[in-house]
């Protein structure tokens, strides 16, 4: 009897580490199928305000707004258009904006998302390794409706039909100069919480905001550009004017991956689609309270022609998205809005 008890005790002692090892293996197998990144499916921006100012011999425009019969439209500004100004506000040309959902990009031109959002879980902080990644298309833009807002300082939020939600917003802009020589244009971007200065969640989500300035066309007239209010089906236009490059502004560049990765390609799996994050123009000093991204040269304006009275003109797209791989993009920061302000100048300015 005692011999049997000893045998049973010995067998149990051997079984315990075996079970422990089996359990550990099972846990490893289950957790190995998930990545410690985020591409949040719940965060949605509920408001976006924009304004821009130009200094020196610069004027800026958001286009000519047509409010005749039928839907309002935005067209490129004519040479003599009254829309050319030193100060512009998006609410003077658009009256409502759809909710913005997180996407991810390595260059500001091509954006990507998880095809099936059920593969994003744990408060938006984990994505399955084998989740399919697809490219964001024109049809995935958030609705931006032309027309003058009731309060030009604040766009009306479109509530919440799925067709109005999207992963990015493209705003066409034009800038011109009377300078007689080719000029570098510098831009400082300020991103502030649109709710209140003490809204901690808003302050956090602001760090996930990405603003890309994409040069498209230059010359002596304002060329036609397509923004979110006029995009048709098909792939995003990823072309940039020859000799120029895209600049991406943000308050910080921290992503979940130690190597600072984002989604940089459509792929069979999320793991395969993760690449190095882009270089962004971060907030001055990268301080907690810094809300202004340091100024940088964003494109070169052609010289004006004094003899013909033609300006030097640049058309560009301002693309805004929420970087889903940002450490600041998670469920608890949902339902925020911000003010994004641009200051364009021909001289590089210092300080915040």
């Amino acid at each position: 009897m005692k011999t049997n008890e000893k045998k049973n005790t010995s067998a149990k002692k051997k079984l315990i580490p075996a079970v422990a090892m089996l359990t550990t293996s099972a846990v490893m197998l289950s957790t190995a199928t998930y990545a410690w990144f985020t591409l949040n499916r719940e965060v949605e921006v509920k408001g976006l305000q924009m304004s821009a100012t130009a200094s020196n011999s610069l004027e800026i425009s958001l286009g000519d707004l047509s409010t005749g019969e039928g839907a309002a439209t935005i067209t490129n500004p004519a040479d003599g258009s009254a829309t050319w100004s030193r100060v512009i506000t998006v609410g003077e040309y658009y009256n409502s904006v759809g909710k913005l959902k997180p996407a991810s990009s390595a260059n500001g031109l091509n954006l990507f998302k998880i095809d099936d959002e059920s593969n994003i879980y744990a408060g938006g902080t984990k994505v399955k390794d084998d989740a399919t990644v697809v490219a964001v298309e024109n049809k995935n833009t958030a609705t931006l409706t032309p027309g003058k807002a009731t309060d030009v300082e604040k766009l009306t939020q479109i509530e919440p039909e799925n067709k109005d939600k999207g992963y990015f917003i493209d705003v066409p802009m034009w800038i011109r100069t009377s300078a007689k020589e080719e000029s570098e244009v510098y831009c400082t971007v300020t991103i502030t919480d649109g709710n209140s200065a003490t809204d901690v969640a808003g302050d956090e989500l602001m760090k996930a905001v990405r603003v890309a300035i994409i040069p498209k066309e230059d010359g002596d007239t304002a060329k036609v550009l397509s923004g979110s209010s006029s995009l048709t089906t098909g792939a995003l236009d990823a072309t940039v004017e020859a000799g120029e490059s895209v600049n991406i502004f943000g308050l910080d560049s921290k992503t979940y991956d130690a190597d600072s990765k984002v989604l940089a390609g459509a792929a069979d799996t999320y793991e395969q689609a993760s690449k190095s994050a882009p270089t962004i123009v971060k907030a001055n000093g990268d301080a907690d309270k810094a809300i202004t991204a340091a100024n940088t040269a964003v494109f070169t304006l052609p010289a004006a022609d004094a003899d013909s009275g033609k300006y030097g003109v640049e058309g560009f797209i301002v693309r805004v998205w929420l970087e889903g791989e940002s450490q600041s993009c998670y469920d608890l920061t949902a339902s925020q809005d911000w003010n994004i302000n641009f200051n364009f100048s021909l001289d590089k300015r210092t300080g915040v």
Side-chain angles (χ1 to χ4, degrees):
M1 194 72 176
K2 286 183 180 179
T3 302
N4 287 338
E5 284 179 0
K6 286 181 180 179
K7 287 181 179 179
N8 287 339
T9 302
S10 177
K12 286 179 182 178
K13 286 181 178 178
K14 291 178 181 179
L15 186 61
I16 289 172
V19 171
M21 288 179 67
L22 182 62
T23 304
T24 302
S25 299
V27 170
M28 288 177 66
L29 283 172
S30 64
T31 56
T33 61
Y34 299 102
W36 284 93
F37 301 98
T38 180
L39 198 72
N40 199 298
R41 62 181 173 185
E42 301 296 337
V43 167
E44 293 174 351
V45 180
K46 68 175 185 178
L48 176 67
Q49 318 308 322
M50 276 193 202
S51 64
T53 59
S55 61
N56 307 98
S57 57
L58 296 175
E59 291 180 313
I60 195 163
S61 176
L62 279 165
D64 286 326
L65 174 63
S66 170
T67 55
E69 292 185 10
T73 58
I74 296 286
T75 58
N76 52 308
D79 286 348
S81 171
T83 63
W84 290 105
S85 175
R86 291 286 180 89
V87 182
I88 55 174
T89 303
V90 168
E92 295 174 344
Y93 300 87
Y94 300 94
N95 59 34
S96 58
V97 60
K99 290 189 175 181
L100 199 60
K101 302 173 68 175
S104 189
S105 179
N107 58 14
L109 294 172
N110 308 106
L111 277 67
F112 300 93
K113 64 187 182 75
I114 301 300
D115 190 32
D116 181 357
E117 292 183 352
S118 66
N119 287 317
I120 308 169
Y121 76 113
T125 60
K126 293 184 183 179
V127 177
K128 289 184 179 180
D129 269 354
D130 58 358
T132 301
V133 174
V134 296
V136 171
E137 300 179 354
N138 283 334
K139 66 182 180 181
N140 300 130
T141 184
T143 299
L144 188 61
T145 309
K148 192 167 184 176
T150 305
D151 178 0
V152 296
E153 297 301 322
K154 191 167 182 66
L155 300 185
T156 303
Q157 175 64 48
I158 298 175
E159 293 296 338
E161 293 185 37
N162 285 329
K163 66 182 180 65
D164 296 318
K165 299 177 182 179
Y167 295 87
F168 71 100
I169 296 171
D170 276 2
V171 181
M173 291 188 184
W174 295 264
I175 194 168
R176 70 182 186 182
T177 182
S178 57
K180 298 178 182 178
E181 62 280 331
E182 190 176 81
S183 308
E184 290 252 306
V185 175
Y186 293 87
C187 184
T188 295
V189 178
T190 303
I191 304 171
T192 57
D193 178 26
N195 294 321
S196 71
T198 58
D199 191 331
V200 177
D203 289 345
E204 184 70 13
L205 187 58
M206 285 194 303
K207 297 174 184 176
V209 178
R210 299 290 182 265
V211 181
I213 294 181
I214 308 172
K216 302 298 290 186
E217 296 271 1
D218 68 3
D220 57 11
T221 56
K223 306 296 193 300
V224 176
L225 298 176
S226 296
S228 286
S229 66
S230 59
L231 290 175
T232 57
T233 57
L236 288 181
D237 181 3
T239 59
V240 181
E241 182 189 328
E244 302 284 10
S245 58
V246 177
N247 281 278
I248 302 173
F249 293 81
L251 296 186
D252 77 29
S253 57
K254 296 174 183 175
T255 62
Y256 270 86
D257 186 80
D259 296 325
S260 199
K261 291 184 178 180
V262 295
L263 298 190
D268 290 337
T269 68
Y270 179 78
E271 186 177 37
Q272 294 169 353
S274 298
K275 306 294 180 184
S276 295
T279 300
I280 70 169
V281 183
K282 295 187 293 185
N284 285 334
D286 205 18
D288 291 340
K289 299 298 182 183
I291 56 175
T292 302
N295 64 74
T296 191
V298 289
F299 45 71
T300 302
L301 263 176
D305 187 340
D307 294 333
S308 64
K310 293 286 189 179
Y311 290 85
V313 182
E314 177 78 48
F316 59 99
I317 295 291
V318 168
R319 175 166 293 167
V320 181
W321 77 97
L322 267 178
E323 178 50 62
E325 297 292 354
S326 167
Q327 290 184 15
S328 300
C329 189
Y330 50 88
D331 289 0
L332 294 180
T333 63
S335 298
Q336 303 299 322
D337 61 1
W338 326 282
N339 298 320
I340 302 175
N341 303 294
F342 305 85
N343 183 277
F344 296 95
S345 65
L346 296 182
D347 59 306
K348 188 170 185 178
R349 301 181 172 189
T350 57
V352 178

